[in-house]
């Protein structure tokens, strides 16, 4: 037994029963706590230190028995892993330092210098990257680890802001507004922002219910819903983060090739039909190069990514500010971006080489032509030679423009031209009319386009004889078919990134306060920016320019850049660097998430990805992340990659909401979030929105994502390592089991619901080996009824002395059950006499309505030759106890000859000798056996006994009819026997004419009565079949 001692130690909250998280009451008390405990309970590992810095198995398992006291400057300081001091602590103890209940001395600085210092050291990396960065400095002395000092603004708000703002805002939001219109655009943004806000509320509740190490969403879901859900959703979140990296890289390459250096394209097409394919090939080549460079940068060192974080954040902020300033400036001085229109069709600005939006221009010659007039003067002497009379004549010449050549067969004025070109006039409209122009009235409504449609302005006049435009003509065409659902899937990635704060809880001074406030403020900020941006874009930019995805109508300028002040290059350069930074962060965070999953050891084939460099950097995980990201880059289209990561993020958010709602409804004692502004209705509303958005944006992607998650779930369930994290699914199972048991108690089961609930009695030898393991095999073959199985044994002796032996016997039974694949429970009873133990087991087995109704035991071996009468006496006593309990009794004789689960019978019969009407019990058992693969090919024969004076032919017909209504296929045989062939016992017990007459009458009942009486398991049937007769009747093989 464990000795009890009295200790005074600094104690972690997890060591106190029912207090797994810190609370204000505890943190305000003194540092030392009086504790009673056993010797084993003192040195136990911290359950929350299993995951640290990307999921590594943390140290901190040894609790110091004595705190060392350092004397210095007259002040005593307690040096312990539980105190946030400034002494050097191993990386594995990093999270233990965050679990302190109190802090002694805090380093205080002036507010201004503190803010400047934090801005200088700002990082947007996931938790654990800082330690890896320090470990990369070879030859440098390791700096003393300081207590986490990051507050809400630097630790949560800014990282969330930077992760949420992304490539979609700069490259696609204007296009979304142009197609969906301002009203539907606001609807899209509002739905997506509501989804993330509700998810953030649920996430805040989970994050403040304890400490969240690296892994973020994976850690929260796995510890709340169990390893199966955690692994499935964790991998989905990992894939979403990886594809997000691919999307950011594709966005950066699109900015580079479309707006910064168009001439850098490697592949070019001479025909308009091939421009799209050439662009995709360019994206693949440059995207792969960019991915390789970024992966090398992350591999070489996180510290370089860390140093660039503040630059990337500044780019995002400056770009967004320039949009707002440009929108305000446009109200007074709109920027000059003319758009050329032919009728109501938009002309691509790339094709206008001479900047002339007209069919032809009139040119006046600088020097007028001189007209030479020849005349002669005739006189009588002869003729005078010709003279010249110069006279100036003004000349205007019509010269065709560069656009003329694109619509006509030649540059001549009389050349054959396109009909639409001939019947419509050119006009120029302002691409950016400005905030005060009232253009928002035209942009309120949607204008969805099909692939190949020309971008048109509905308010301009156009000839009625318009015909479909050719791709060879210089119009602006829609590259994909747009719809509300498609735009939702493309826009949703721009609201993801809300987990950035929860991923960094170990770096925060007060994580339980900072995570909810910082995350929710960041979502409010970004939501306001998105909603106002939708209105500003609709109020400032012309509709045809908004629907022009790549800015062809404004000569290839980035559409959102045309609104920026003072120059479009502010947005172009800023968005390029911000997307590069977001891609680096994804390539930094995704491998750590995979490493956290791998080190939890719940998915066996991922174990290799838990290893890395000496400093803990996830090298193998980074390699896999780069390969998966390359698949996204090979897709090469931002509009096709965005819905993929939308699915994975939505599935992750769905399970975060489910975890919060489930914990709230179950009211588990450990569910005490510091964040109190949550409710289960909000969680389930968020879950419903996530599920709806999945199918709204792309139903087939949603199904694929669910299938992937389901496959991972089943893989972990059947092959993964066993983990017990006190998850909500187990709590849900307990609640459901309690509810079901209480419902079963309401009344006896109906005959249609009857199934064999088996209690298998096994005997162990002196070496704790099962004597008749085939009994368990027989029970497993009967399990087609899906009933309860309890495997029991009796250990002789006294419970106090034989407790260890009972545990060993229980383990033996569990091992045998696993080997035979029997799903059930095992029960081991210690009693002075085996007969008493069996009696106790038959009386006490089961719970509520889940009690055994059938006992399976072996026939006593060689009982006639045995000198010890206890064997057959125990058997007879068991028969009597079973009869008294009104339970069915199955006694397989010669059980060692029964086939095992690996020996299927290819032929043969199952013979049933049916003597009395027992409610169909003997009919049901062979039927259940035939559901198993071992007995599937065996036939079934029913034998019944008739006396000489009975009509055996009629009995056979009646029995066949009875089996037909029981829906059991079997051959019927009637055996006629003389009275002398039947023993007196059998005659008295089984062939009494009253019982046989009753059986025959029941066979002739109406169909409904026959079906009711024919179903096995009614109480009367079980009682009738419960005597000594049942103990002797058995199937013969």
């Amino acid at each position: 037994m464990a000795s009890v001692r009295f200790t005074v130690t600094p104690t972690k909250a997890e060591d106190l029963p029912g207090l797994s998280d810190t609370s204000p009451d505890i943190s305000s008390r003194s540092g030392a706590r009086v504790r009673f405990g056993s010797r084993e309970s003192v040195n136990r590992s911290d359950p929350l230190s299993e995951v640290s810095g990307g999921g590594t198995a943390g140290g901190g398992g040894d609790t110091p028995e004595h705190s060392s006291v350092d004397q210095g400057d007259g002040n005593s300081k307690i040096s312990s892993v539980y105190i946030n001091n400034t002494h050097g602590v191993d990386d594995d103890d990093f999270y233990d330092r965050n679990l302190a209940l109190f802090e002694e001395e805090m380093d205080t600085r002036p507010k201004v210098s503190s803010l400047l210092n934090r801005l200088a050291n700002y990082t947007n990396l996931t938790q654990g990257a800082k330690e890896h960065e320090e470990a990369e400095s070879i030859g440098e002395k390791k700096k003393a680890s300081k207590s986490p000092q990051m507050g809400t603004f630097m630790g949560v708000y800014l990282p969330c802001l930077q992760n949420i703002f992304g490539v979609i805002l700069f490259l696609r939001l204007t296009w979304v507004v142009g197609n969906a219109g301002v009203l539907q655009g606001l609807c899209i943004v509002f739905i997506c922002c509501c989804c993330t806000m509700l998810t953030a509320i649920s996430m805040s509740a989970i994050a403040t219910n304890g400490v969240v190490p690296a892994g973020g969403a994976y850690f929260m879901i796995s510890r709340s819903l169990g390893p199966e859900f955690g692994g499935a959703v964790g991998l989905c979140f990992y894939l979403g983060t990886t594809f997000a990296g691919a999307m950011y890289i594709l966005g950066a390459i699109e900015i580079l090739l479309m707006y910064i250096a168009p001439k850098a394209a490697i592949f070019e097409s001479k025909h308009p039909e091939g421009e799209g394919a050439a662009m995709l090939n360019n994206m693949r080549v440059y995207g792969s190069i960019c991915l390789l460079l970024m992966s090398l940068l992350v591999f070489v060192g996180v510290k370089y990514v860390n140093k660039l974080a503040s630059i990337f954040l500044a780019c995002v902020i400056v770009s967004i500010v320039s949009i707002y300033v440009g929108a305000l400036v446009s109200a007074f001085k709109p920027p000059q971006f003319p758009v050329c229109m032919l009728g109501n069709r938009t002309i691509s600005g790339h094709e206008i080489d001479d900047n002339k939006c007209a069919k032809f221009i009139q040119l006046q010659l600088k020097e007028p032509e001189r007209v030479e007039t020849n005349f002669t003067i005739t006189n009588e002497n002869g003729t005078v030679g010709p003279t010249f009379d110069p006279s100036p004549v003004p000349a205007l010449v019509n010269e065709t423009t560069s656009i003329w050549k694109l619509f006509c067969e030649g540059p001549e004025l009389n050349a054959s031209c396109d009909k639409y070109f001939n019947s419509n006039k050119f006009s120029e409209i302002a691409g950016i009319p400005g905030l005060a122009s009232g253009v928002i009235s035209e942009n309120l409504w949607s204008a969805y386009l099909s692939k190949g449609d020309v971008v048109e302005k509905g308010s301009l006049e156009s000839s009625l004889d318009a015909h479909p435009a050719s791709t060879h003509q210089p119009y602006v065409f829609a590259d994909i078919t747009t719809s509300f659902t498609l735009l939702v899937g493309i826009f949703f990635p721009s609201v993801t990134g809300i987990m950035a704060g929860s991923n960094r809880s170990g770096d925060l001074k007060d994580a339980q306060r900072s995570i909810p406030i910082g995350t929710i403020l960041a979502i409010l900020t970004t939501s306001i920016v998105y909603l106002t941006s939708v209105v500003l874009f609709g109020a400032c930019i012309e509709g045809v320019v908004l629907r022009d995805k790549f800015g062809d109508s404004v000569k290839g300028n980035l559409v959102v850049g045309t609104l920026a002040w003072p120059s479009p290059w502010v947005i172009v350069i800023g968005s390029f660097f911000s997307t590069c930074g977001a891609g680096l962060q994804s390539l930094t965070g995704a491998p750590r998430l995979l490493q956290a999953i791998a080190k939890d050891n719940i998915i066996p084939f991922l174990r290799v990805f838990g290893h890395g460099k000496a400093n803990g950097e996830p090298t193998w995980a980074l390699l896999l992340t780069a390969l998966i990201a390359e698949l996204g880059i090979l897709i090469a289209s931002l509009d096709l990659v965005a819905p993929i990561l939308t699915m994975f993020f939505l599935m992750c958010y769905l399970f975060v909401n489910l975890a919060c709602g489930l914990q709230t409804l179950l009211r588990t004692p450990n569910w005490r979030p510091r964040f109190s502004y949550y409710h289960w209705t909000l969680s389930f509303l968020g879950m419903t929105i996530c599920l709806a958005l999945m199918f709204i944006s792309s139903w087939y992607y949603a199904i694929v994502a669910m299938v992937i998650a389901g496959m991972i779930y089943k893989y972990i369930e059947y092959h993964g390592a066993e983990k017990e994290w006190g998850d909500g699914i187990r709590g849900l199972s307990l609640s459901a089991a309690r509810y079901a048991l209480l419902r079963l108690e309401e009344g006896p089961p109906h005959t249609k619901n009857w199934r064999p609930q088996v209690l298998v009695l096994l005997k162990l030898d002196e070496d704790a080996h099962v004597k008749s393991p085939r009994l368990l095999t027989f029970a497993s073959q009967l399990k087609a009824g899906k009933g309860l199985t309890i495997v029991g044994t009796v250990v002789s002796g006294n419970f106090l002395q034989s407790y260890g032996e009972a545990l060993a016997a229980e383990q033996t039974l569990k091992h045998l059950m696993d080997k035979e694949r029997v799903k059930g429970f095992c029960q081991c009873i210690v009693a002075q006499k085996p007969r008493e133990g069996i009696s106790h087991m038959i009386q006490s087995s089961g719970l509520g309505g889940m009690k055994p109704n059938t006992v399976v035991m072996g026939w006593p071996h060689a009982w006639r030759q045995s000198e010890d009468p206890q064997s057959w006496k125990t058997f007879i006593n068991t028969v009597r106890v079973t009869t008294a309990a009104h339970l069915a009794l199955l006694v397989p004789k010669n059980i060692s000859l029964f086939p095992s689960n690996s020996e299927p019978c290819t032929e043969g019969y199952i013979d049933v000798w049916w003597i009395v009407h027992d409610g169909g019990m003997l009919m049901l058992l062979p039927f259940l056996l035939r559901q198993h693969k071992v007995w599937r090919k065996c036939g079934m024969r029913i034998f019944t006994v008739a006396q000489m004076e009975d009509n055996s032919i009629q009995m056979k017909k009646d029995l066949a009819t009875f089996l037909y209504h029981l829906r059991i296929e079997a051959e019927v045989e009637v055996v006629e026997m003389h009275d002398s062939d039947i023993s007196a016992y059998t005659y008295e017990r089984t062939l009494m004419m009253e019982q046989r007459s009753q059986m025959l009458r029941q066979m002739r009942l109406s169909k409904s009565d026959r079906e009711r009486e024919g179903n096995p398991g009614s109480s009367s049937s079980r009682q009738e079949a419960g005597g000594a007769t049942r103990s002797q009747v058995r199937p013969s093989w």
Side-chain angles (χ1 to χ4, degrees):
M1 292 179 62
S3 61
V4 179
R5 63 177 179 175
F6 178 83
T7 59
V8 179
T9 62
T11 309
K12 289 190 284 185
E14 290 77 8
D15 290 339
L16 301 179
L19 289 175
S20 64
D21 57 350
T22 59
S23 62
D25 296 336
I26 299 176
S27 60
S28 61
R29 296 175 186 173
S30 59
R33 177 179 298 280
V34 180
R35 180 180 64 171
F36 288 92
S38 63
R39 189 179 302 274
E40 288 87 1
S41 66
V42 174
N43 292 330
R44 60 179 182 148
S45 60
D46 175 16
L48 286 179
S49 63
E50 292 179 358
V51 183
S52 62
T56 59
D62 297 330
T63 303
E65 296 185 2
H66 302 285
S67 298
S68 60
V69 180
D70 298 334
Q71 301 292 338
D73 299 331
N75 297 325
S76 63
K77 291 186 178 181
I78 300 177
S79 177
S80 169
V81 296
Y82 304 121
I83 302 175
N84 285 335
N85 52 32
T86 57
H87 298 283
V89 184
D90 293 338
D91 285 342
D92 290 340
D93 294 331
F94 181 71
Y95 296 111
D96 289 333
R97 291 187 280 105
N98 299 327
L99 306 181
L101 302 183
F102 56 89
E103 294 182 80
E104 288 206 332
E105 293 184 23
M106 299 292 293
D107 295 332
T108 57
R109 297 180 180 177
K111 290 184 178 179
V112 177
S113 61
S114 175
L115 177 62
L116 293 176
N117 179 68
R118 292 173 187 174
L119 283 171
N121 297 325
Y122 167 75
T123 174
N124 193 29
L125 300 181
T126 55
Q127 183 174 343
K130 184 178 179 182
E131 288 71 25
H132 298 324
E133 177 187 339
E134 293 175 356
E136 287 172 355
S137 303
I138 302 175
E140 297 181 5
K141 293 183 179 180
K142 188 175 181 181
K143 299 179 181 179
S145 300
K146 293 185 178 181
S147 303
Q149 295 292 323
M150 299 190 75
T152 303
F153 184 75
M154 297 299 300
V156 181
Y157 181 76
L158 289 183
C160 284
L161 213 63
Q162 184 174 352
N163 277 268
I164 295 174
F165 285 133
V167 62
I168 303 296
L169 170 64
F170 303 114
L171 293 184
R172 292 293 183 269
L173 187 56
T174 54
W175 178 69
V176 169
V177 175
N179 284 275
V182 173
L183 296 180
Q184 291 189 23
L186 289 173
C187 182
I188 291 173
V189 174
F190 182 75
I191 292 174
C192 295
C193 292
C194 280
C195 177
T196 54
M197 177 59 75
L198 294 172
T199 304
I201 293 174
S202 299
M203 182 197 72
S204 300
I206 298 175
T208 57
N209 195 49
V211 177
V212 181
Y218 159 71
F219 184 90
M220 287 189 290
I221 295 172
S222 62
R223 269 56 175 181
S224 298
L225 294 179
E228 293 87 0
F229 277 109
V233 182
L235 280 183
C236 285
F237 190 51
Y238 162 74
L239 291 174
T241 308
T242 304
F243 275 102
M247 184 189 73
Y248 290 131
I249 292 174
L250 288 175
I253 299 304
E254 182 178 313
I255 295 172
L256 176 68
L257 294 180
M258 297 291 293
Y259 311 111
I260 297 179
K263 295 183 179 179
I266 300 174
F267 301 94
E268 294 182 354
S269 176
K270 297 180 180 179
H271 304 286
E273 294 86 351
E275 289 180 357
M279 184 63 186
L280 293 181
N281 290 329
N282 287 320
M283 299 278 283
R284 293 184 179 105
V285 172
Y286 280 99
S288 301
I289 296 173
C290 185
L291 174 64
L292 180 62
L293 294 177
M294 287 185 176
S295 301
L296 290 176
L297 180 60
V298 174
F299 176 77
V300 169
V302 181
K303 57 184 178 181
Y304 302 107
V305 183
N306 188 10
K307 292 177 180 178
L308 295 173
S310 57
I311 299 176
F312 298 144
L313 177 63
C315 291
V316 173
I317 295 175
V318 169
S319 299
I320 294 174
V321 170
S322 70
I323 295 174
Y324 281 91
V325 175
L328 294 176
V329 170
S330 69
F332 310 101
K333 185 181 178 182
Q336 297 301 316
F337 287 98
V339 177
C340 186
M341 306 292 295
L342 176 60
N344 62 355
R345 295 181 178 180
T346 311
I347 301 296
S348 174
H350 294 293
E351 308 294 341
I352 306 177
D353 298 331
D354 50 8
N355 294 325
K356 301 297 183 181
C357 181
K359 296 180 180 179
F360 52 83
I361 55 175
Q362 291 183 337
L363 297 179
Q364 183 176 359
L365 296 179
K366 294 181 180 179
E367 295 183 0
E369 296 180 358
R370 294 181 178 270
V371 181
E372 296 180 355
T373 304
N374 294 335
F375 59 93
T376 57
I377 300 174
T378 305
N379 56 18
E380 59 186 34
N381 293 328
T383 303
V384 180
T387 60
F388 298 95
D389 182 16
S391 58
V393 179
L396 294 176
V397 179
N398 290 332
E399 182 178 342
T400 58
T401 60
S402 58
I403 301 179
W404 179 284
K405 303 172 185 177
L406 300 174
F407 287 95
C408 302
E409 295 179 355
E412 299 82 10
L413 289 173
N414 58 354
S416 177
C417 297
D418 179 74
K419 292 182 179 179
Y420 188 84
F421 178 79
N422 288 330
S423 58
N424 288 275
K425 298 180 180 179
F426 279 99
S427 62
E428 272 193 355
I429 61 174
I432 312 293
L435 192 61
S437 63
V439 72
I440 190 172
S441 60
E442 297 180 9
N443 295 331
L444 280 178
W445 314 108
S446 61
Y448 297 114
L449 300 173
S450 299
K451 184 176 181 180
D453 287 352
V454 179
V455 177
E456 298 179 348
K457 181 177 173 63
S459 60
L460 291 181
E461 294 182 359
S462 175
S463 65
L464 298 178
D465 57 346
H467 62 283
S470 169
T471 55
H472 294 278
Q473 295 169 344
Y475 295 122
V476 177
F477 294 96
D479 61 335
I480 60 174
T481 301
T482 55
S483 63
F484 181 84
T485 57
L486 175 76
L487 297 182
V488 170
I490 292 176
F491 175 76
F492 188 81
S494 63
V495 297
T496 59
I498 62 175
M499 301 289 183
S502 63
N503 291 347
R504 303 158 56 87
S505 63
D507 298 333
L508 303 173
K509 182 163 53 177
D510 186 0
Q512 296 189 354
R513 178 180 178 273
S514 297
I515 289 177
I517 296 176
T519 305
I520 292 175
L521 283 180
I523 292 176
L524 286 175
T525 304
T526 53
S527 300
I528 293 172
V529 169
Y530 285 136
L531 292 171
T532 54
S533 296
V534 169
V535 176
L536 288 178
F537 293 157
C540 297
I541 305 178
E542 178 60 49
V544 292
V545 180
L546 288 174
R547 290 187 288 278
D548 182 5
K549 183 188 293 185
F550 302 109
D552 293 329
S553 60
V554 286
K555 297 187 176 180
N557 282 292
L558 182 63
V559 174
V560 70
T562 59
L563 186 60
W565 182 88
S567 169
W569 286 101
V570 176
I571 291 287
V572 172
I573 301 300
S575 60
F576 176 77
F577 281 109
S578 67
T579 48
C580 288
L584 279 174
Q585 290 152 18
S586 297
L587 292 178
T588 305
R592 284 173 174 75
L593 177 59
L594 182 63
Q595 188 182 44
I597 300 173
K599 289 199 171 184
D600 265 350
N601 200 23
I602 61 173
I603 304 178
F605 69 85
L606 290 181
R607 289 172 186 164
V608 64
F609 299 107
H611 307 293
K613 293 195 291 187
N615 61 354
E617 278 292 301
T619 307
W620 293 106
L622 176 62
L623 180 61
L624 179 64
T625 301
L627 291 177
I628 297 176
E630 177 64 21
L631 295 178
I633 287 175
L634 291 179
I635 297 176
S637 174
L638 189 69
D639 303 318
L640 296 180
V641 175
I644 296 177
L645 61 103
T646 294
M647 289 304 119
F648 292 127
F649 278 121
L650 278 172
M651 182 165 290
C652 175
Y653 295 165
L654 184 149
F655 281 100
V656 169
N657 285 296
L658 176 62
C660 178
L662 201 61
Q663 297 276 27
T664 306
L665 286 178
L666 291 177
R667 298 178 182 176
T668 53
N670 189 43
W671 180 247
R672 301 184 307 278
R674 189 71 57 83
F675 179 78
S676 58
Y677 302 101
Y678 68 94
H679 195 267
W680 66 268
T681 54
L682 295 178
S683 299
F684 280 99
L685 178 60
M687 185 178 68
T688 305
I689 293 177
C690 289
L691 189 63
L693 285 177
M694 288 178 67
F695 283 93
I696 284 175
S697 57
S698 178
W699 62 269
Y700 44 90
Y701 277 159
I703 292 175
V704 170
M706 288 182 174
V707 168
I708 293 174
M711 292 172 61
I712 298 171
Y713 178 93
K714 299 304 291 185
Y715 177 83
I716 298 174
E717 184 180 11
Y718 286 109
H719 300 288
E722 292 292 333
K723 295 286 183 180
E724 178 53 55
W725 288 326
D727 52 86
I729 292 297
R730 187 172 182 83
L732 180 63
S733 301
L734 291 172
S735 298
R738 171 183 170 273
Y739 176 77
L741 284 173
L742 292 175
R743 288 291 302 273
L744 287 176
E745 279 289 305
E746 292 181 359
H750 193 272
T751 55
K752 292 182 180 180
N753 296 325
W754 190 92
R755 60 198 65 199
Q757 316 277 14
V758 182
L759 171 61
V760 184
L761 299 178
L762 298 179
K763 188 176 181 181
L764 303 180
D765 57 17
E766 297 177 353
D767 298 328
H769 294 152
V770 178
K771 283 190 175 181
S772 301
R774 288 292 173 89
L775 274 177
L776 202 56
T777 305
F778 175 68
S780 69
Q781 294 168 2
L782 274 175
K783 288 313 292 172
K786 303 294 183 184
L788 173 70
T789 300
I790 299 178
V791 181
T793 188
V794 177
V795 176
S796 300
N798 185 284
F799 180 74
L800 297 178
Q801 282 79 28
S802 304
Y803 177 67
E805 186 179 348
L807 289 180
E810 192 172 337
Q811 291 299 320
T812 301
L813 296 181
K814 286 183 178 179
H815 178 72
L816 183 60
M817 292 174 69
D818 292 338
K819 182 180 178 182
E820 296 294 338
R821 295 184 178 179
V822 175
K823 300 292 184 180
F825 309 95
C826 59
Q827 186 174 1
C828 184
I829 289 182
V830 180
Q832 293 291 348
K833 297 180 180 180
R835 285 185 291 178
E836 295 179 358
I838 292 175
S839 176
H840 296 160
M841 187 177 297
I842 291 176
Q843 295 178 59
S844 61
S845 293
L847 181 63
M850 294 293 290
K851 287 187 176 181
N853 54 25
T854 306
V855 177
V856 178
M857 64 180 298
W859 185 265
H861 178 68
W863 62 276
R864 295 180 184 274
Q865 293 79 19
S866 176
E867 298 180 357
D868 184 13
Q870 292 298 324
S871 60
W872 59 267
K873 287 185 177 180
T874 301
F875 175 78
I876 292 175
N877 184 73
T878 305
V879 172
R880 290 175 175 172
V881 172
T882 305
T883 304
H886 296 290
L887 303 178
L889 178 63
L890 300 181
V891 185
K893 195 174 181 181
N894 297 325
I895 188 65
S896 59
L897 301 179
F898 278 45
S900 66
N901 289 331
S902 59
E903 301 172 356
C905 299
T906 56
E907 58 183 5
Y909 290 92
I910 301 175
D911 293 339
V912 179
W913 287 85
W914 196 41
I915 308 302
V916 295
H917 182 45
D918 59 353
M921 178 75 175
L922 283 177
M923 304 295 180
L924 179 66
L925 294 178
F927 171 77
L928 295 179
L929 284 175
R930 290 183 64 194
Q931 305 305 306
H932 196 273
K933 63 179 181 180
V934 173
W935 304 94
R936 190 165 295 155
K937 295 183 179 180
C938 293
M940 182 174 167
R941 295 189 298 194
I942 306 294
F943 292 90
T944 188
V945 177
Q947 291 178 300
M948 297 301 295
E949 60 269 19
D950 290 332
N951 187 348
S952 59
I953 298 176
Q954 185 62 36
M955 278 186 68
K956 185 173 182 179
K957 290 182 179 179
D958 292 340
L959 187 56
T961 304
F962 183 62
L963 293 176
Y964 174 79
H965 289 294
L966 284 179
R967 301 168 307 280
I968 293 178
E969 295 181 1
E971 299 179 10
V972 178
E973 299 290 342
V974 178
V975 179
E976 296 181 352
M977 300 180 69
H978 293 280
D979 293 343
S980 59
D981 297 333
I982 303 174
S983 64
Y985 177 80
T986 307
Y987 182 83
E988 292 175 0
R989 301 295 297 176
T990 66
L991 290 181
M992 297 175 63
M993 291 303 297
E994 292 82 5
Q995 293 184 359
R996 292 183 63 256
S997 300
Q998 180 184 4
M999 179 184 70
L1000 294 175
R1001 283 197 306 269
Q1002 289 177 347
M1003 288 182 180
R1004 296 184 178 93
L1005 292 177
S1006 64
K1007 181 178 179 181
S1008 59
D1009 294 337
R1010 186 160 52 229
E1011 288 183 353
R1012 183 176 66 252
E1013 295 291 336
N1015 279 311
S1018 65
S1019 58
S1020 61
S1021 300
R1022 290 200 299 273
Q1023 292 175 4
E1024 183 183 341
T1029 305
R1030 178 172 32 191
S1031 65
Q1032 298 177 27
V1033 176
R1034 62 176 178 84
S1036 59
W1037 320 93

